[in-house]
Amino acid sequence: MTSFTGQIIPVGPDYAAVLAALHAASFAVAEQWPEAALQDLVVSYGTITGLAVWNDNPVGFVMLRCVAGEAEILTLCVTPDFQKCGVGAQLVAWVIQQAKRSAADVIFLEVSCKNKAAYTLYQKNKFVQSGLRKNYYPDGSDAFVMQYDSQKNSS
């Protein structure tokens, strides 16, 4: 497969098991979020979750929280078989659209310094590095804080 031709659909708490399975397939064991945590997050105030589906199969998702004019990508994952196929790019585009609909002026995220592919994906989508969180991840790696400015990138 070379390019994602599926769709992104908003989902709620009924999809927590699916989200947990996708997260488990996409991250190292120490970084996986359990179903209960995802179920709590998906219903938390201001949270919007988009599920990437290809041929009726879930292949990734993104969870965004929009509050008080700001948004944060809580997690974004794509299963290994669908990485480098455009799923991540479509999820990021969906996030930007949802954040704008929620009147968020800025979108923040943390990405592991070790995750070059994700860092590049965000850069290509006009996110800029704005900070560093030392020892942020369970493996001790640092996280780049990145942000997208909706006003600056409104074109």
Side-chain angles (χ1 to χ4, degrees), residues 34-53:
E35 182 179 339
L38 288 161
Q39 186 156 14
D40 287 346
L41 281 170
V42 80
V43 296
S44 66
Y45 179 77
T47 301
I48 306 164
T49 304
L51 180 68
V53 179

Side-chain angles (χ1 to χ4, degrees), residues 73-144:
I73 296 176
L74 302 175
T75 191
L76 185 153
C77 66
V78 176
T79 58
D81 290 347
F82 283 83
Q83 292 175 1
K84 299 182 181 170
C85 297
V87 179
Q90 285 196 22
L91 286 167
V92 171
W94 187 85
V95 157
I96 291 169
Q97 181 183 53
Q98 296 304 312
K100 287 180 180 178
R101 283 185 183 157
S102 297
D105 294 325
V106 65
I107 306 168
F108 292 98
L109 63 90
E110 288 93 5
V111 62
S112 173
C113 295
K114 294 180 178 181
N115 194 340
K116 305 289 187 223
Y119 185 84
T120 300
L121 170 67
Y122 294 126
Q123 273 191 318
K124 285 181 180 177
N125 285 278
K126 300 181 181 177
F127 282 78
V128 296
Q129 186 178 333
S130 60
L132 180 71
R133 296 188 195 275
K134 293 290 210 180
N135 301 311
Y136 185 77
Y137 289 100
D139 68 358
S141 64
D142 299 338
F144 292 122

